[in-house]
Amino acid sequence: MEKYGLVLEGGGVRGAYTAGALNWLLDHDIHFDYGVGVSSGAVYLVCYWLGDKETGHQMAVEYATDPENVGVSAFLKEGHYVAYEHMFRESFGKKAKIDVTPLRDSHANIEFGLYDLELGRTIYKGSEGLDNTYNLLRASCALPVASAIVELDGHHYLDGGITKMIPIERSVEVGCTKHLIITTKPADYVRKPANNAVKLMMKVIYRDYPSVLEDYKVRHLNYYKQIALISELEEQGNALKIYPSKNMPISRWKGNPKDCETLYQLAYADMDAQKDRILRFMGKSE
């Protein structure tokens, strides 16, 4: 029998596209045997697995663009450009009232990519690590330089996207035979090498963890390895990659509610346009 995996790229604010695509899947009762996400993809994976369309939309359009969570106010709160601790505590917790314990208690077959600074590589943690402090999700989202290192279970973590931007390898490793991949970059996206300013900041900030800089230097090469693997799987009929059909003026760092809503709706429309293809790939009929 086929084993279907859902693979979610990160992308920060551009995760609005992921949210729209996942809510389309929920509206069409499409589910998976396994799911893996990194960075913002980890958050939207939780919303999807809980069947919570409303929070996915709110996170994409409202919470991810809230000046209290991103920008000057965030820096004043937590000393970083993105105040993830505030975002998860206030937005995900108090406003959305997300309860992740059903995923933990049911041993949901989902994983989240985190870069382990002590080990110097990306690892994956499953639903057994979820609780309503959201520290596991915060660790998966912890963008280098822009946010704080997260301590969890005696280790220190950053965003798993440092090496695994699109965690397709993990979906293959766990035995999935079909992979639906949602990315936040358009088809003509070009990932460039890290610039010298970023490398210098990382050298200073993470001087106790030299591997993170070395991995960041080759991040673009790892990205294209993941793209190549996806292309190979697509040629075999074992993968379907969903990506924005238009390039929206939204960076991973900053957006506004109007543009994020547009990106969310673009994802929903893109999924609708490929409805027959998606249903066939998933072995479903109308």
Side-chain angles (χ1 to χ4, degrees):
M1 292 181 63
E2 302 286 10
K3 180 178 179 180
Y4 289 88
L6 174 64
V7 179
L8 304 181
E9 183 185 22
V13 179
R14 292 188 62 85
Y17 188 87
T18 305
L22 292 178
N23 280 359
W24 186 94
L25 290 172
L26 287 173
D27 283 343
H28 290 80
D29 197 29
I30 296 175
H31 301 278
F32 297 81
D33 302 301
Y34 168 80
V36 59
V38 296
S39 197
S40 64
V43 178
Y44 294 117
L45 179 63
V46 163
C47 294
Y48 168 80
W49 226 264
L50 287 169
D52 188 345
K53 292 173 23 182
E54 182 179 358
T55 298
H57 181 258
Q58 285 178 323
M59 179 60 73
V61 176
E62 180 183 345
Y63 305 151
T65 62
D66 188 339
E68 294 296 307
N69 293 329
V70 182
V72 175
S73 293
F75 186 84
L76 293 175
K77 283 185 179 69
E78 297 184 17
H80 292 87
Y81 185 77
V82 185
Y84 280 119
E85 188 173 348
H86 179 270
M87 181 185 296
F88 279 102
R89 182 182 67 248
E90 301 296 326
S91 299
F92 213 58
K94 293 182 181 178
K95 290 182 180 179
K97 295 182 173 61
I98 289 296
D99 181 7
V100 297
T101 53
L103 299 179
R104 182 190 65 204
D105 294 347
S106 66
H107 306 288
N109 196 19
I110 53 178
E111 290 188 311
F112 314 99
L114 306 83
Y115 188 89
D116 187 315
L117 288 167
E118 277 79 19
L119 297 177
R121 59 184 173 87
T122 296
I123 65 165
Y124 295 90
K125 287 183 175 288
S127 58
E128 70 278 359
L130 291 171
D131 63 34
N132 288 331
T133 66
Y134 314 115
N135 284 338
L136 175 54
L137 294 178
R138 189 160 63 90
S140 184
C141 290
L143 294 167
V145 178
S147 62
I149 293 172
V150 177
E151 184 175 356
L152 188 66
D153 300 329
H155 279 234
H156 298 83
Y157 297 97
L158 288 172
D159 184 337
I162 289 171
T163 62
K164 305 297 182 183
M165 289 130 282
I166 311 174
I168 180 61
E169 298 104 326
R170 185 60 176 173
S171 189
V172 172
E173 286 171 2
V174 300
C176 293
T177 56
K178 298 283 187 179
H179 318 268
L180 190 142
I181 304 113
I182 299 174
T183 75
T184 56
K185 313 294 191 299
D188 61 354
Y189 175 76
V190 176
R191 183 172 288 283
K192 299 177 181 178
N195 66 54
N196 289 331
V198 172
K199 288 189 288 187
L200 178 59
M201 285 189 287
M202 293 185 75
K203 184 176 182 178
V204 173
I205 296 170
Y206 308 118
R207 57 188 174 275
D208 294 332
Y209 307 105
S211 63
V212 68
L213 174 58
E214 296 308 309
D215 280 332
Y216 208 79
K217 287 178 181 177
V218 296
R219 189 167 182 254
H220 61 297
L221 301 179
N222 285 327
Y223 175 80
Y224 285 113
K225 287 179 183 177
Q226 289 148 25
I227 292 294
L229 176 56
I230 291 169
S231 296
E232 180 183 339
L233 291 167
E234 284 185 305
E235 289 174 4
Q236 297 167 358
N238 294 325
L240 179 58
K241 180 183 173 187
I242 305 295
Y243 54 87
S245 59
K246 299 177 184 177
N247 197 356
M248 296 289 300
I250 299 174
S251 74
R252 70 179 302 175
W253 306 103
K254 189 175 182 181
N256 60 66
K258 181 179 178 181
D259 285 345
C260 287
E261 177 66 32
T262 300
L263 185 57
Y264 173 93
Q265 296 297 339
L266 175 65
Y268 204 95
D270 285 349
M271 297 291 278
D272 247 353
Q274 300 187 71
K275 180 179 179 180
D276 291 344
R277 186 179 175 215
I278 294 169
L279 293 178
R280 283 197 305 272
F281 180 78
M282 296 298 300
K284 290 180 173 287
S285 56
E286 183 67 51

